[in-house]
Amino acid sequence: MYVKLLSFILLLTLGGCSLFVSENYFGESWKGHHINELVALWGEPKQMITSKSGVIKAEYKIFNDNCTYIFITDEKGIIRTYKYESSLFGTCKPIG
């Protein structure tokens, strides 16, 4: 019991302030940036689809595919929208 409690306290301590930052914050901060900046920091997405009009949809899956981050650009490659989906305790954290 003591070990479990100590482990839980350690987990909370290591998590720090990131426990209080919303997942939406991480995507919102990329709006207005070029998709290449995101790829340079986060690495290659699991899937990147470019439409005929030049709009790009980049999808990142992390934590054994429990968290999905989706970024959509305009025709110039500038990130305009973002969303995330989570099946891991309802929370995802940033990649980079």
Side-chain angles (χ1 to χ4, degrees), residues 63-79:
F63 303 127
N64 296 322
D65 293 344
N66 288 310
C67 294
T68 302
Y69 292 85
I70 300 169
F71 297 87
I72 301 174
T73 73
D74 61 15
E75 61 282 345
K76 295 178 183 176
I78 305 299
I79 297 170

Side-chain angles (χ1 to χ4, degrees), residues 41-88:
L41 186 61
W42 285 24
E44 288 296 319
K46 182 165 186 151
Q47 183 175 11
M48 188 180 287
I49 301 169
T50 304
S51 72
K52 290 180 182 179
S53 65
V55 172
I56 299 169
K57 177 183 175 186
E59 183 177 294
Y60 288 87
K61 289 189 172 272
I62 60 171
F63 303 127
N64 296 322
D65 293 344
N66 288 310
C67 294
T68 302
Y69 292 85
I70 300 169
F71 297 87
I72 301 174
T73 73
D74 61 15
E75 61 282 345
K76 295 178 183 176
I78 305 299
I79 297 170
R80 296 297 176 204
T81 60
Y82 156 82
K83 65 180 179 176
Y84 73 93
E85 299 168 350
S86 174
S87 61
L88 179 68

Side-chain angles (χ1 to χ4, degrees), residues 11-51:
L11 178 67
L12 287 177
T13 302
L14 292 176
C17 295
S18 69
L19 292 174
F20 304 105
V21 176
S22 77
E23 293 80 5
N24 210 32
Y25 167 80
F26 301 119
E28 292 294 323
S29 66
W30 283 102
K31 284 184 178 180
H33 291 268
H34 196 276
I35 190 70
N36 291 342
E37 294 177 59
L38 177 69
V39 173
L41 186 61
W42 285 24
E44 288 296 319
K46 182 165 186 151
Q47 183 175 11
M48 188 180 287
I49 301 169
T50 304
S51 72

